[in-house]
């Protein structure tokens, strides 16, 4: 198993380098390249020589170890996006002598968690010549200020936020002028502001990941949902690639999970199906290969919240540092079934890590993942798992420092288990 402290530190570095899905993909590519993987462009002829490959489209990345012969597929699926505030196409706004940035909420963010934080700005700038440039202002630039209690004495009895009115970040003083923000970003990356045709930009929390607790047993960080899974998937793929040649390990980090996955680069799109069809030997052969394949849908789990235990099922709570959670839902909001659960339990036992069950309380509907989408689209047996995370969907989340290492160890076994 990877060293717990080293892997937690490596996860922290990965998160800090990945304020957006595009940056997460770029960081994943750097790590895969260092491990000997090479790019498979979508427009190029398929490379069937044995070895590591990766394919990138926007904020989605697929990576795999090409085998000499067709073998059962073992898939690790995660997502690269996180709830945040996304910049609108015409960002420059403001009133009352303050310059502000027009944003809209992306995904199911906890709005109040973005208040009174030092925020950066990151994403991609698309130019008229057809290229795109990554940008990351990783220093205090923006802030969504909360109203002083003197102006709302009842705020501690219930905070109500209007996302159109109350979530606009401040970034300067004076009158707002159209083009100011993009001109500033252009200067940050050394391009001509007049050549910026469009952009995909989000705000991000600047507080660095940190270990918490008397013995440093917790990790606090932004975007644990779901970069903790992306990091684990890349790490497990590299570890699995040189092991048992009787399986073909595959990793996919989808964009747009937080908004439903129904996009060209989301789990409901064609990218994974196209890749797996290639690896299975073509459309006519794939049904036989898919029947012996398995997918692991890896997304964080709601950790038992000590201040709100009444919202959790008393017999199926997920606790930090007790091993990854096997997520089960009778209505298939998670794709886990008994044979898939057995395969995951076997992987955990082989890896020597704990495993626990998570089932939502009957009166509190659970969320969902890419798992049911993969199972529905491809007919591949799929298991939903994840590490327990507290304050999910907030600007900053909390997990056990041992959990990333446990997840990598079990996932590596899952990717190489041919049974």
């Amino acid at each position: 198993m990877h060293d717990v402290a080293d892997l937690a530190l490596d996860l922290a570095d990965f998160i800090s380098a990945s304020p957006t899905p595009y940056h997460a993909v770029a960081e994943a590519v750097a790590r895969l390249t260092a491990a000997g993987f090479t790019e498979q462009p979508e427009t190029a002829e398929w490379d069937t020589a044995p070895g590591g490959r990766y394919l990138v489209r926007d904020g989605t990345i697929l990576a795999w170890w090409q085998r000499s012969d067709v073998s059962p597929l073992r898939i690790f699926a995660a997502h690269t996006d996180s709830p945040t505030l996304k910049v609108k196409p015409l960002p420059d706004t403001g009133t009352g002598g303050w310059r502000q940035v027009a944003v809209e909420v992306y995904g199911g963010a906890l709005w109040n968690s973005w208040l009174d934080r030092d925020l950066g700005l990151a994403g991609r700038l698309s130019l008229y010549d057809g290229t795109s440039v990554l940008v990351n202002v990783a220093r205090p630039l923006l802030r969504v200020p909360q109203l002083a209690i003197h102006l709302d004495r009842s705020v501690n009895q219930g905070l109500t936020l209007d996302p159109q009115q109350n979530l606009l970040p401040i970034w300067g003083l004076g009158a707002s002028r159209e083009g100011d923000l993009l001109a500033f970003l252009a200067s940050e990356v050394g391009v001509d502001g007049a050549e910026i045709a469009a952009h995909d930009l989000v705000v991000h929390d600047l507080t660095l990941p940190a270990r918490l607790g008397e013995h440093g047993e917790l990790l606090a960080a932004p975007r644990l949902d779901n970069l903790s899974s992306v990091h684990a998937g890349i790490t497990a793929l590299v570890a699995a690639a040189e092991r048992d040649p009787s399986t073909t390990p595959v990793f996919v980090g989808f964009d747009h999970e937080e908004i439903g996955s129904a996009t060209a680069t989301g789990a409901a799109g064609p990218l994974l199906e196209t890749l797996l069809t290639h690896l299975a030997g073509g459309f006519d052969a794939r049904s036989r290969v898919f029947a012996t394949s398995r997918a692991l849908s890896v997304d964080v789990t709601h950790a038992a919240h000590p201040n709100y235990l009444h919202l959790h099922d008393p017999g199926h709570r997920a606790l930090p540092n007790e091993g990854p959670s096997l997520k089960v839902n009778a209505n298939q909001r998670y794709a886990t079934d008994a044979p898939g659960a057995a395969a995951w339990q076997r992987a955990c036992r082989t890896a020597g890590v704990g495993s626990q069950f998570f089932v939502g309380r009957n009166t509190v509907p659970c969320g969902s993942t890419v798992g049911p989408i993969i199972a529905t689209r491809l007919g591949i047996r799929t298991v939903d798992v994840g590490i327990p995370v507290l304050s999910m969907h907030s600007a900053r989340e909390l997990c056990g420092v041992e959990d990333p290492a446990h997840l990598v160890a079990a996932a590596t076994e899952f990717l190489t288990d041919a049974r």
Side-chain angles (χ1 to χ4, degrees):
M1 184 187 298
H2 289 78
D3 179 83
V4 167
D6 288 346
L7 201 68
L9 180 61
D10 193 55
L11 171 58
D13 290 342
F14 184 86
I15 289 172
S16 296
S18 308
T20 74
Y22 317 111
H23 290 82
V25 167
E27 179 65 16
V29 165
R31 290 167 178 248
L32 289 168
T33 301
F37 285 63
T38 58
E39 184 176 9
Q40 170 64 64
E42 281 192 89
T43 56
E45 184 177 351
W46 196 259
D47 186 351
T48 59
R53 307 280 187 275
Y54 66 84
L55 184 153
V56 170
R57 186 193 290 182
D58 300 329
T60 292
I61 181 169
L62 303 99
W64 63 96
W65 191 265
Q66 184 81 42
R67 300 295 190 192
S68 299
D69 300 311
V70 172
S71 56
L73 304 167
R74 297 291 181 264
I75 304 145
F76 184 118
H79 67 87
T80 59
D81 60 325
S82 304
T84 184
L85 304 177
K86 185 173 183 179
V87 177
K88 293 181 178 179
L90 302 176
D92 296 292
T93 188
T95 188
W98 302 93
R99 297 163 70 199
Q100 294 175 276
V101 177
V103 297
E104 58 180 326
V105 179
Y106 176 90
L110 280 171
W111 300 347
N112 64 292
S113 70
W114 293 91
L115 303 179
D116 295 330
R117 286 183 175 272
D118 292 339
L119 302 173
L121 192 64
R124 63 178 177 179
L125 306 173
S126 292
L127 309 181
Y128 281 103
D129 65 6
T131 63
S132 292
V133 179
L134 293 184
V135 59
N136 181 17
V137 183
R139 63 181 186 275
L141 178 69
L142 306 163
R143 195 173 184 89
V144 183
Q146 193 162 196
L147 185 66
I149 194 170
H150 310 83
L151 302 179
D152 183 5
R153 297 284 184 178
S154 64
V155 65
N156 289 329
Q157 281 67 58
L159 175 64
T160 300
L161 295 172
D162 178 343
Q164 180 69 28
Q165 183 74 24
N166 305 135
L167 294 182
L168 302 188
I170 287 172
W171 79 297
L173 298 173
S176 173
R177 296 181 299 273
E178 184 177 348
D180 276 0
L181 183 66
L182 292 184
F184 163 74
L185 294 175
S187 68
E188 288 287 302
V189 293
V191 301
D192 182 354
E195 292 304 307
I196 299 175
H199 56 80
D200 288 305
L201 300 167
V202 299
V203 306
H204 61 96
D205 174 52
L206 291 173
T207 309
L208 293 175
R211 291 180 65 172
L212 301 183
E214 180 183 2
H215 306 293
E217 64 266 41
L218 300 171
L219 176 67
R223 302 181 297 282
L224 286 172
D225 180 12
N226 192 29
L227 292 185
S228 58
S229 299
V230 175
H231 172 266
I234 293 293
T235 307
L237 174 66
V238 171
E242 298 179 0
R243 289 176 60 172
D244 189 349
S246 59
T247 64
T248 298
V250 178
F251 167 78
V252 56
F254 290 112
D255 200 355
H256 300 141
E257 190 275 345
E258 296 292 354
I259 55 171
S261 297
T263 68
T265 52
L271 284 177
L272 181 60
E273 181 177 8
T274 300
L275 169 63
L276 298 185
T277 300
H278 274 294
L279 295 177
F283 187 85
D284 291 338
R286 75 177 193 176
S287 61
R288 297 189 298 275
V289 177
F290 285 10
T292 60
S293 298
R294 287 196 296 270
L296 199 63
S297 166
V298 189
D299 204 342
V300 298
T301 305
H302 289 288
H305 198 304
N307 298 338
Y308 302 91
L309 280 181
H310 64 286
L311 297 178
H312 299 272
D313 183 272
H316 299 87
R317 297 169 180 164
L319 302 177
N321 290 335
E322 296 294 329
S325 296
L326 186 60
K327 301 158 75 170
V328 178
N329 178 256
N331 296 309
Q332 288 291 287
R333 298 287 288 169
Y334 305 130
T336 306
D337 63 6
W344 174 249
Q345 297 284 61
R346 181 170 63 247
C348 289
R349 185 173 66 178
T350 303
V353 304
S355 178
Q356 51 187 330
F357 284 98
F358 172 82
V359 181
R361 188 178 179 89
N362 291 346
T363 54
V364 182
C366 68
S368 192
T369 69
V370 300
I373 299 173
I374 291 172
T376 300
R377 276 193 63 98
L378 303 176
I380 292 176
R381 191 183 304 282
T382 303
V383 189
D384 268 292
V385 303
I387 64 171
V389 166
L390 203 63
S391 297
M392 190 190 300
H393 284 205
S394 68
R396 194 165 177 83
E397 301 162 324
L398 191 67
C399 74
V401 75
E402 298 175 11
D403 285 328
H406 291 163
L407 177 58
V408 168
T412 302
E413 297 299 335
F414 185 93
L415 291 175
T416 55
D417 182 0
R419 286 171 287 182

